[in-house]
Amino acid sequence: GAVVSQHPSRVICKSGTSVKIECRSLDFQATTMFWYRQFPKKSLMLMATSNEGSKATYEQGVEKDKFLINHASLTLSTLTVTSAHPEDSSFYICSALNPGSASTDTQYFGPGTRLTVL
Amino acid sequence: KQEVTQIPAALSVPEGENLVLNCSFTDSAIYNLQWFRQDPGKGLTSLLLIQSSQREQTSGRLNASLDKSSGRSTLYIAASQPGDSATYLCATFLGSARQLTFGSGTQLTVLP
């Protein structure tokens, strides 16, 4: 089955530093990936849609200069949280569309990254 | 804008009971609806996906139904087990927006 990985699984950083999270599709090429954020006991909120070779599309209220997304290849998208602050602490999950699957709108989810900003 | 609501927010049942989780959505023009399981601190595991033309899907002890006209879906879990303890999320996919909208989940605890 389609597998999506995320790295790191957990990261703790100091306020003001930048953190990069990687999302990889391991056994398929993903032209579209999605980045979600989840607060404790809350739902997943879509942050942005990442398309290979083009700029990401950000949801309303998400700062594009704060959350930099790069989708440089068909198997890798990165989310960089710039100048992180404690309020950026959250669980970040990526997903990828597998165009080769029977249902081209099925998203395959990564295991998530827990970011803690001190 | 699609809104997805899940009731109850939390549920605790003794092992062996059958249970129903509810999901409602405001925009019935969905392409499909999906139920996920999320264990604490983990990512999402897809359980069942129901296309808009379908009424239900079954997988083992799980059965999901979809009533588009009323904007509702249910996830039925038969003979619950402690290993079923997790948060269950439903999500709708709107063809127009081409994105998933998630409910806030139901946290299920099955007591041994």
Side-chain angles (χ1 to χ4, degrees), chain A residues 66-101:
Chain A
K66 172 76 171 177
F67 299 99
L68 299 179
I69 291 173
N70 186 291
H71 194 157
S73 78
L74 288 172
T75 59
L76 174 65
S77 177
T78 60
L79 168 68
T80 301
V81 183
T82 62
S83 187
H85 291 283
E87 57 265 31
D88 298 325
S89 298
S90 192
F91 193 56
Y92 293 87
I93 302 178
C94 72
S95 70
L97 286 178
N98 182 359
S101 68

Side-chain angles (χ1 to χ4, degrees), chain A residues 34 36 38 41-46 49 59 91 93 97 103-107 109-112 114, chain B residues 1 31-32 34 36 38 41-44 46 49 51 89 93 98-105 107:
Chain A
F34 303 87
Y36 296 85
Q38 186 179 33
K41 299 188 184 299
K42 297 293 184 182
S43 182
L44 276 74
M45 301 298 296
L46 179 65
T49 302
E59 295 301 303
F91 193 56
I93 302 178
L97 286 178
S103 174
T104 56
D105 294 311
T106 299
Q107 295 183 28
F109 286 82
R114 171 73 61 193
Chain B
K1 180 184 176 184
Y31 189 70
N32 60 51
Q34 206 163 354
F36 295 89
Q38 185 176 31
K42 304 293 184 182
L44 304 181
S46 179
L49 184 149
Q51 300 291 353
L89 296 161
F93 185 86
R98 300 197 66 76
Q99 60 182 238
L100 283 172
T101 302
F102 284 84
S104 54
Q107 185 174 357

